[in-house]
Amino acid sequence: MAHPGLSSFSWALSLGLWFALYTNLQSFSVFFTYSLLGIERPSRLGDAVQFFVYDTPKVMLLLTLIVYVVGVLRSFFTQERTRKYLAGKRESAGNVMAALLGIATPFCSCSAVPLFLSFVQAGVPLGVTFSFLISAPMINEIALVQLYGLLGWKIAALYLGTGLLVAIVAGWVIGRLKLEAWMEDWGREMRTGEALVFEQQLTWADRLEQGREAVRDIVGKVWLYVVAGIAVGALIHGYVPEAFMGSIMGKQAWWSVPAAVVVGIPMYSNAAGIVPVVEALLGKGAALGTVLAFMMSVIALSLPEMIILRKVLKPQLIAVFVFVVGSGIVCIGYLFNMIV
């Protein structure tokens, strides 16, 4: 049998190694780009390569740590208990709770739909289910940890607060409109109002293993989005002129916020892929509100998500969902362009 302190020692050693790697990424990226590769400094190519070499391991290290911690914390909850809590809440309180629960669920917009359907089946109010559907992809831990690591805690906090506001208010508005008649017939018929709760008896070893499984599952699925997003961000960082980006996504272009939302909807991605692009756009002079509006629309209003939702919702309800959420995102974009 393994010594009981061995796992604690291994965990501490892993955390120490993580910290050592994370704190030396900047100096490594400079050495790799300009000394090892011999790229001329300064140059557009050098800027792009250093951006990629620095951000890729930085994002992956942050994701691994946070997903592990959240995976352990998530072991204390069950999907069935979550459904029961939401089904028993009035709409206003339910909207807030559903939006908060969305933060702890590592879903892109498409993978959040099955849980959305399970809430519908459990009799959760329609507006409350939409608060979850908006919040889950838009402000999960992956989005927050990347924004914190790449742009700082202030922007991460702003994104968290405004994302919650959009999810809560949009869900509440949809609930007030009483649009259950715009669900497909089989969707209305499956609303039983019942939700079973199955208790899990887990040891700490089980919970730590769930954290490791979360890393294998989530990071294993999003790493390609991370690399692709950082590659696009590196090209923007190195080669797109500041004046050009400022002219189409700056504060002076009044039309840039709604245009960013419209352009973002068909560009399906998750937070892991879009945040490095956001960082590069901001570095080139794009306005914060415009860029956040673009990011929100990309990960909360994706075309594939709407295609999946069409199985249970009529086109009229999908259109209301897009209009209400899109309007909220546009308002947030204008707000931050005025105050930041």
Side-chain angles (χ1 to χ4, degrees):
M1 180 178 294
H3 190 277
L6 184 61
S7 59
S8 299
F9 174 77
S10 299
W11 189 88
L13 182 63
S14 299
L15 187 61
L17 178 61
W18 183 96
F19 184 79
L21 290 172
Y22 187 81
T23 54
N24 287 283
L25 288 177
Q26 179 67 35
S27 57
F28 171 76
S29 67
V30 173
F31 169 77
F32 183 88
T33 303
Y34 300 110
S35 297
L36 194 60
L37 295 183
I39 297 176
E40 182 182 354
R41 182 179 187 181
S43 65
R44 293 185 181 276
L45 177 61
D47 289 344
V49 171
Q50 186 188 352
F51 182 98
F52 183 83
V53 173
Y54 174 66
D55 273 14
T56 302
K58 181 180 180 180
V59 172
M60 294 304 299
L61 285 169
L62 285 169
L63 282 180
T64 300
L65 178 63
I66 299 301
V67 168
Y68 178 82
V69 173
V70 173
V72 173
L73 294 176
R74 194 176 291 122
S75 69
F76 290 93
F77 302 93
T78 65
Q79 184 182 114
E80 291 77 13
R81 186 183 295 118
T82 300
R83 295 191 313 194
K84 182 182 179 181
Y85 288 158
L86 290 182
K89 298 293 182 182
R90 293 183 178 273
E91 279 195 83
S92 298
N95 290 127
V96 175
M97 180 172 286
L100 291 172
L101 286 171
I103 300 175
T105 53
F107 298 131
C108 66
S109 55
C110 289
S111 58
V113 172
L115 192 52
F116 169 87
L117 296 178
S118 74
F119 290 163
V120 171
Q121 184 177 17
V124 177
L126 188 62
V128 174
T129 64
F130 273 109
S131 287
F132 172 84
L133 185 66
I134 298 164
S135 172
M138 190 161 62
I139 49 176
N140 60 59
E141 74 270 18
I142 295 177
L144 294 176
V145 70
Q146 284 190 277
L147 285 173
Y148 169 76
L150 299 177
L151 305 175
W153 70 267
K154 291 183 180 180
I155 291 181
L158 288 174
Y159 186 84
L160 170 62
T162 55
L164 279 173
L165 183 64
V166 169
I168 293 168
V169 173
W172 183 84
V173 169
I174 292 173
R176 293 294 88 197
L177 293 176
K178 305 295 182 184
L179 301 178
E180 284 78 4
W182 284 353
M183 296 179 64
E184 294 293 347
D185 293 340
W186 72 270
R188 292 198 304 271
E189 292 170 358
M190 74 178 185
R191 293 172 70 84
T192 63
E194 299 294 331
L196 300 176
V197 178
F198 300 99
E199 296 295 333
Q200 289 181 306
Q201 300 297 327
L202 299 176
T203 66
W204 268 105
D206 295 328
R207 300 188 192 283
L208 294 177
E209 179 58 30
Q210 287 199 14
R212 287 188 287 270
E213 289 178 0
V215 171
R216 287 192 292 268
D217 182 40
I218 297 170
V219 178
K221 288 179 179 177
V222 305
W223 73 269
L224 189 58
Y225 289 99
V226 172
V227 175
I230 294 175
V232 173
L235 290 174
I236 295 173
H237 182 79
Y239 290 94
V240 175
E242 287 87 345
F244 172 75
M245 190 55 62
S247 67
I248 63 172
M249 296 190 76
K251 293 182 180 180
Q252 292 72 25
W254 65 265
W255 45 266
S256 63
V257 174
V261 173
V262 172
V263 170
I265 292 175
M267 296 177 61
Y268 173 64
S269 181
N270 55 25
I274 201 64
V275 172
V277 178
V278 167
E279 180 193 20
L281 291 173
L282 290 174
K284 287 299 182 178
L288 176 62
T290 305
V291 173
L292 288 183
F294 171 72
M295 176 179 174
M296 287 179 172
S297 66
V298 169
I299 60 180
L301 290 174
S302 70
L303 189 60
E305 172 193 28
M306 295 174 211
I307 294 173
I308 297 173
L309 285 175
R310 178 64 187 89
K311 297 177 181 179
V312 69
L313 307 178
K314 293 182 179 179
Q316 301 97 309
L317 184 49
I318 295 176
V320 170
F321 165 65
V322 173
F323 177 78
V324 171
V325 177
S327 298
I329 292 174
V330 168
C331 291
I332 294 299
Y334 280 128
L335 174 65
F336 281 105
N337 277 350
M338 286 190 296
I339 65 176
V340 177

